[in-house]
Amino acid sequence: MPVLDLLSSRTSTHTRSARIALVGNPNTGKSALFNRLTGSRQRVGNYPGLTIERKSGRMRLRGRDIDVLDLPGLYSLAALSPDEQIVLDVLSGEAKGEPRPDLIVCVVDASNLTRNLFLVSQVAEVGVPMVLVLNMWDAAEATHTTVDYKTLSARLGVPVIPTVASKGRGLDELKRAIAQALDETPRMESVSWPQPVEDAVACLRRGLGDIDDREFSDVALRRMLFDVEGSVIRDSVSHDERSRERIDKARGHIQEGGWDPTQVESLVRYGWLETLLRDIQETPSKPRRSFGESVDDLLTHRVAGVIIFAAIMYVVFQSIYTFAAPFMDYIDAGFSWLGSVVGSALAGTPMLQSLVVNGVIAGVGGVLVFLPQIVILFLFITLLEDAGYMPRAAFLMDRLLGWCGLSGKSFVPMLSSYACAVPGVMAARTIQDPKARLTTILVCPLMSCSARLPVYVLLIGAFIEPATGPVVAGLVLFAMHFVGLAIAVPVAFVFNRIVLKGKRTPFVLEMPPYRVPQMRDMAYRVWSRGREFVINAGTVIFAMSIVIWALSYFPRSAEVAESVRQAEVTTLAATEGISEESAALLIDDDPSRAAVLESKTEAAYLETSYLGRAGQAIQPVFAPAGFDWKITVGVIASFPAREVIISTLGILYNLGADVTEEDSNLVTAMQRATLSDGTPVFSPLVAIALMVFFALCSQCMATLATIARESNWQWAAFTFVYMTALAWLGAVAVYQVGSLIV
Amino acid sequence: MILPALHQVKTTASSDSEVSVPGEYLALEKVRAGDEGFLWFVGAADATVQRLMSMGLIPGAFVKVVRVAPLGDPIMLEICGYQVCVRRREAAALAIRRSGATTPTGTE
């Protein structure tokens, strides 16, 4: 009979593909192991909690296809956050559309065995076959920690394999053990609970039997008894109010037995672990101070730590600025060249030419120009993450950001957003707490990104510097970079209080040891980030560029061009005292006059385009901020990408679309621009109002698309609405209050 | 790794009369860098404290306050050979019994 059983189980497991899941504490090298097993290169970082979502891959083992699931790291099955819930769902077979895994590969840090095995003992009780991996074996050896893994295997009843996943050591043994375990289904010995706990479980099962149709496992019932707060107890109590009573009654058994129900689990498990590991594990009694600890003394020092932190951030920020500039120029020049080549090739079909050159190439190129910044930023982030610096930065910054609902981990994404909110929002993935992560994502676009800089430079150069001199102009530029940050903190506070109701999740962060980053992993991650960004530019930005182009191009009636030409000819004829025919000839023959006419025609087209009409219709909305309809058009046109305002203002002020922020002609044209009553359009006050608007407004399709991908479209829409509202309020406040003072 | 024998810590700490004795226990809310001792409970365990317990911060375990963040919070603790940081307020239910003291005992 046993032989028959064995045979039947063998045939059944051989005929189908198997599923295994990697489970373990954060930062134990699960993702590195996953990459080694499946050959895929999922990101691996020295930062607890990098696997925010589940990743799955496939490996072939002895002719069998095996799905490998990489689950988020967690410390306990008392799931508090959504990523921990994922693990619980997968283990209990309650994940949507997914059967329970056939085998759990528990990955533990060999140098921190006791704490890691706490989770393993919980997982064992779920009753799924298990293989135990003692990863980072080399790090344990380095600290003279020895583990008699053969005895451990004998005591637990499951295979125990030492590995060094980052270097690929022990993988063959692991694969062999996995293949064997899939056939033999070894189950791990776990904690035997004291009688009061067993009584309480039985009592609770009886108690819930009357009021709840669901069948609860011992594991689920114990979670209800032990956890003060957690998904299992939340579900059961919300199901029926009486459940709370039954749970309290059952807890009485534990209390009568002399245990505190909130402490009994940890005490019993750690007690069991102590017995389990007796004579197996040897740790140096007095560990000598490691190099990492001395580094830590410096990096997390009250004074030096903060200075070093500021210095590192300055270097990152400055490098992004400096190193990216030449590459950005190349890309920009490349797209200009492409535009001119394609432009002349399509000269015969002006509409197609405009679509491709002004729409697609200008739109996509305007975004791709930020690729070097993205690459450099992610190079630094990856380096800091892999080396293990990020948790230290989070430790330093937690107090500064914690009060408003952000966490120390929010700081890096926010800082990244000073270069570009797109990688900043992506960097928020490192925040485990979903609420703090969402808050961070929502405030990241408020940081003054590099695309705002051209707008500031243009407006300060035109209106602030002439009035106040270069020192104040420099200060204003500096201040503009602080507006967003200053607003972000109270905004985050409000989000947490009003929008994202609920309790603030605690800050419990493990400090991983420092590690030398692996070049291969780093290069891959930077590459995959860059690729993601380019794909985004090729899809979302591409589509948006065409839409905006169409709105600013059509209807483009011939009458518009004709009336502009007629007006120009009439004016020239009047000023020069010549006939209209000669004036027309003069315009056609003189290239500079022809260029002026063309610019004016473009401006007229824009004015009568759907976008132009919209600008005039919407202008009353922006009147309290002192914007005329042209600025309004510029503001509206720059919603897909804020830099667009420069080329838009260029068109509107009759200078053609091809101007840069240093173009003094645009500056003089804007300085000369007057309203119909003769007063100048721009004053320093209008310029500041406009800059505040740009500082706070969500004018970046790429960012909104990224927010949508990192959260969902509703939150992207919310970001757009709140930032636009904030920008309008800010601009109006500046203009109205300023008007009273000036 | 110093762990108390089970019978010694079995008693409910949160209702322990001993905790009211001042001076003996130093609340984690008030510790300074360099303080060390055996962990003890002076309040009820909430979800955060339960999480810390599952990470090894159980009554009787030896902890050391490695460092304190610039503005006095959070604090970094060393326990079981690794380091973890917590906010003071979130660890308010925990206290340490200064070194030199024996492994804490219950009221049994």
Side-chain angles (χ1 to χ4, degrees):
Chain A
M1 196 57 188
V3 178
L4 274 178
D5 267 344
L6 193 64
L7 280 176
S8 65
S9 78
R10 277 213 168 162
T11 42
S12 71
T13 46
H14 267 293
T15 46
R16 63 192 172 89
S17 66
R19 290 163 42 82
I20 66 176
L22 303 183
V23 179
N25 281 182
N27 210 33
T28 50
K30 287 183 299 300
S31 297
L33 193 66
F34 175 83
N35 288 344
R36 290 284 177 176
L37 287 176
T38 61
S40 76
R41 318 235 93 246
Q42 196 210 338
R43 60 184 312 199
V44 180
N46 188 13
Y47 190 104
L50 272 182
T51 309
I52 306 289
E53 326 133 87
R54 250 164 349 132
K55 296 271 159 73
S56 68
R58 192 162 262 234
M59 67 188 262
R60 275 194 77 77
L61 200 57
R62 298 193 186 165
R64 179 172 10 182
D65 277 326
I66 295 175
D67 282 324
V68 186
L69 206 57
D70 183 18
L71 292 170
L74 78 172
Y75 294 104
S76 163
L77 287 186
L80 295 173
S81 67
D83 56 327
E84 293 167 348
Q85 184 61 42
I86 288 174
V87 183
L88 200 62
D89 286 346
V90 169
L91 288 181
S92 56
E94 279 168 20
K96 266 190 207 129
E98 279 184 33
R100 194 192 261 211
D102 300 297
L103 179 74
I104 302 290
V105 177
C106 272
V107 187
V108 307
D109 177 353
S111 52
N112 195 353
L113 202 54
T114 318
R115 191 203 72 205
N116 277 261
L117 286 176
F118 181 91
L119 174 72
V120 176
S121 78
Q122 287 182 327
V123 173
E125 289 168 2
V126 177
V128 179
M130 191 195 285
V131 169
L132 184 62
V133 174
L134 305 187
N135 196 25
M136 304 185 185
W137 191 253
D138 54 344
E141 278 174 343
T143 56
H144 304 284
T145 304
T146 55
V147 180
D148 178 358
Y149 63 91
K150 284 177 185 144
T151 311
L152 183 63
S153 172
R155 288 188 191 174
L156 290 175
V158 293
V160 178
I161 315 292
T163 61
V164 183
S166 60
K167 296 184 181 125
R169 274 167 55 195
L171 280 179
D172 293 336
E173 291 85 343
L174 176 60
K175 284 179 184 168
R176 217 173 299 137
I178 289 173
Q180 206 177 345
L182 280 170
D183 291 338
E184 292 169 6
T185 63
R187 287 185 169 76
M188 192 184 117
E189 278 297 319
S190 194
V191 179
S192 54
W193 293 97
Q195 197 53 43
V197 173
E198 299 288 3
D199 292 345
V201 167
C203 168
L204 186 58
R205 171 167 286 126
R206 278 196 310 276
L208 289 181
D210 317 337
I211 54 173
D212 203 323
D213 310 330
R214 293 175 291 180
E215 192 66 41
F216 291 106
S217 65
D218 282 9
V219 175
L221 290 171
R222 276 197 294 267
R223 289 261 65 84
M224 291 180 207
L225 290 170
F226 297 155
D227 296 352
V228 175
E229 196 182 298
S231 58
V232 178
I233 189 162
R234 212 164 37 232
D235 285 353
S236 59
V237 173
S238 68
H239 192 73
D240 192 315
E241 275 302 310
R242 287 170 296 173
S243 305
R244 171 67 70 189
E245 264 170 53
R246 309 289 156 102
I247 291 170
D248 284 341
K249 184 167 168 257
R251 280 177 180 166
H253 286 276
I254 301 177
Q255 258 153 351
E256 278 162 29
W259 298 87
D260 181 337
T262 60
Q263 298 183 4
V264 63
E265 180 185 20
S266 298
L267 293 175
V268 171
R269 284 192 200 281
Y270 274 108
W272 176 79
L273 286 169
E274 200 195 6
T275 321
L276 173 77
L277 294 174
R278 191 168 289 151
D279 314 322
I280 287 185
Q281 184 182 229
E282 248 178 73
T283 41
S285 54
K286 185 79 186 167
R288 74 193 162 84
R289 278 180 65 79
S290 67
F291 169 70
E293 273 175 75
S294 320
V295 174
D296 244 7
D297 282 345
L298 195 64
L299 291 187
T300 56
H301 187 267
R302 289 169 171 253
V303 182
V306 177
I307 294 171
I308 293 171
F309 177 76
I312 289 177
M313 291 311 153
Y314 176 77
V315 168
V316 171
F317 193 33
Q318 192 59 40
S319 315
I320 290 165
Y321 236 76
T322 323
F323 298 153
F327 296 102
M328 291 176 80
D329 289 346
Y330 289 140
I331 295 176
D332 206 26
F335 275 101
S336 301
W337 173 83
L338 187 67
S340 64
V341 169
V342 174
S344 44
L346 295 174
T349 47
M351 200 183 96
L352 187 65
Q353 181 198 33
S354 177
L355 167 65
V356 175
V357 177
N358 299 336
V360 174
I361 295 180
V364 174
V367 175
L368 279 184
V369 94
F370 296 110
L371 181 63
Q373 292 190 328
I374 306 281
V375 169
I376 293 174
L377 183 72
F378 270 100
L379 201 64
F380 277 107
I381 288 184
T382 309
L383 186 71
L384 292 175
E385 266 177 4
D386 286 9
Y389 182 70
M390 291 307 198
R392 273 86 188 173
F395 171 73
L396 286 175
M397 299 310 298
D398 182 67
R399 186 66 193 273
L400 271 180
L401 297 171
W403 69 273
C404 62
L406 296 165
S407 103
K409 300 175 192 176
S410 310
F411 193 77
V412 175
M414 284 168 71
L415 195 99
S416 307
S417 299
Y418 266 95
C420 176
V422 170
V425 168
M426 289 200 255
R429 283 182 190 181
T430 52
I431 302 168
Q432 263 176 309
D433 168 21
K435 219 172 114 212
R437 180 175 172 215
L438 187 57
T439 312
T440 309
I441 289 175
L442 294 180
V443 299
C444 268
L446 279 174
M447 304 298 113
S448 188
C449 71
S450 57
R452 285 171 171 104
L453 188 66
V455 183
Y456 297 157
V457 169
L458 173 71
L459 291 170
I460 291 173
F463 305 105
I464 310 290
E465 199 181 332
T468 62
V471 176
V472 177
L475 275 176
V476 171
L477 183 62
F478 191 66
M480 289 317 298
H481 281 90
F482 269 90
V483 170
L485 183 64
I487 296 282
V489 174
V491 162
F493 183 75
V494 171
F495 282 160
N496 260 289
R497 280 299 157 92
I498 296 164
V499 187
L500 307 168
K501 281 182 191 143
K503 255 178 64 185
R504 172 177 159 199
T505 329
F507 180 75
V508 173
L509 184 64
E510 185 189 347
M511 291 287 126
Y514 290 101
R515 280 171 204 147
V516 179
Q518 301 279 312
M519 281 310 290
R520 241 168 43 145
D521 285 329
M522 274 182 59
Y524 174 77
R525 276 167 59 187
V526 172
W527 182 78
S528 68
R529 288 297 147 202
R531 198 184 56 158
E532 247 176 78
F533 181 75
V534 170
I535 289 172
N536 188 45
T539 50
V540 177
I541 305 297
F542 180 83
M544 270 314 294
S545 298
I546 292 174
V547 169
I548 288 295
W549 168 83
L551 287 176
S552 59
Y553 189 83
F554 293 110
R556 204 175 183 88
S557 66
E559 293 140 45
V560 174
E562 196 43 54
S563 69
V564 171
R565 184 181 166 82
Q566 193 52 51
E568 194 71 4
V569 167
T570 313
T571 318
L572 185 66
T575 47
E576 300 286 319
I578 51 173
S579 71
E580 292 207 350
E581 287 77 21
S582 347
L585 281 174
L586 196 59
I587 287 172
D588 291 338
D589 290 345
D590 183 347
S592 69
R593 282 181 203 274
V596 169
L597 175 63
E598 208 186 317
S599 289
K600 285 188 173 172
T601 311
E602 284 302 322
Y605 276 140
L606 186 67
E607 192 175 336
T608 55
S609 70
Y610 297 120
L611 196 65
R613 288 183 213 166
Q616 289 164 78
I618 295 168
Q619 191 270 334
V621 174
F622 288 102
F627 299 177
D628 74 340
W629 78 264
K630 290 180 178 180
I631 302 177
T632 306
V633 169
V635 165
I636 294 169
S638 52
F639 269 102
R642 48 179 63 84
E643 318 84 283
V644 171
I645 193 171
I646 291 166
S647 55
T648 310
L649 290 179
I651 299 172
L652 289 169
Y653 290 104
N654 293 355
L655 281 157
D658 194 19
V659 289
T660 67
E661 70 270 21
E662 279 144 15
D663 193 322
S664 60
N665 290 329
L666 175 55
V667 170
T668 36
M670 282 166 59
Q671 285 165 340
R672 280 201 216 109
T674 53
L675 296 170
S676 50
D677 63 358
T679 55
V681 171
F682 283 99
S683 62
L685 195 56
V686 173
I688 292 177
L690 186 55
M691 284 193 287
V692 167
F693 187 89
F694 270 78
L696 302 178
C697 198
S698 157
Q699 295 166 307
C700 182
M701 272 309 296
T703 303
L704 290 176
T706 310
I707 292 173
R709 210 186 44 228
E710 299 294 307
S711 55
N712 58 43
W713 276 108
Q714 283 89 334
W715 284 119
F718 175 81
T719 307
F720 179 78
V721 171
Y722 103 78
M723 285 184 69
T724 308
L726 211 56
W728 184 85
L729 284 172
V732 169
V734 165
Y735 187 73
Q736 295 299 335
V737 173
S739 300
L740 293 178
I741 299 166
V742 176
Chain B
M1 175 82 193
I2 299 161
L3 280 169
L6 276 182
H7 64 89
Q8 289 178 300
V9 290
K10 222 170 123 182
T11 320
T12 310
S14 47
S15 60
D16 199 324
S17 59
E18 263 192 38
V19 299
S20 57
V21 179
E24 283 252 26
Y25 295 96
L26 187 57
L28 273 195
E29 268 189 296
K30 302 207 175 88
V31 290
R32 285 179 302 184
D35 285 341
E36 58 182 21
F38 298 96
L39 201 67
W40 203 239
F41 277 49
V42 290
D46 61 3
T48 309
V49 171
Q50 282 200 325
R51 171 57 45 87
L52 291 171
M53 286 178 77
S54 63
M55 293 172 79
L57 279 90
I58 55 170
F62 189 78
V63 291
K64 185 179 171 189
V65 182
V66 187
R67 59 192 101 245
V68 173
L71 291 169
D73 199 29
I75 54 176
M76 202 189 287
L77 304 175
E78 188 173 284
I79 178 140
C80 305
Y82 79 98
Q83 294 175 340
V84 60
C85 31
V86 289
R87 294 189 182 130
R88 287 179 188 268
R89 206 163 41 85
E90 288 164 2
L94 305 178
I96 53 176
R97 194 168 158 145
R98 294 232 195 235
S99 315
T102 51
T103 305
T105 53
T107 49
E108 269 186 348

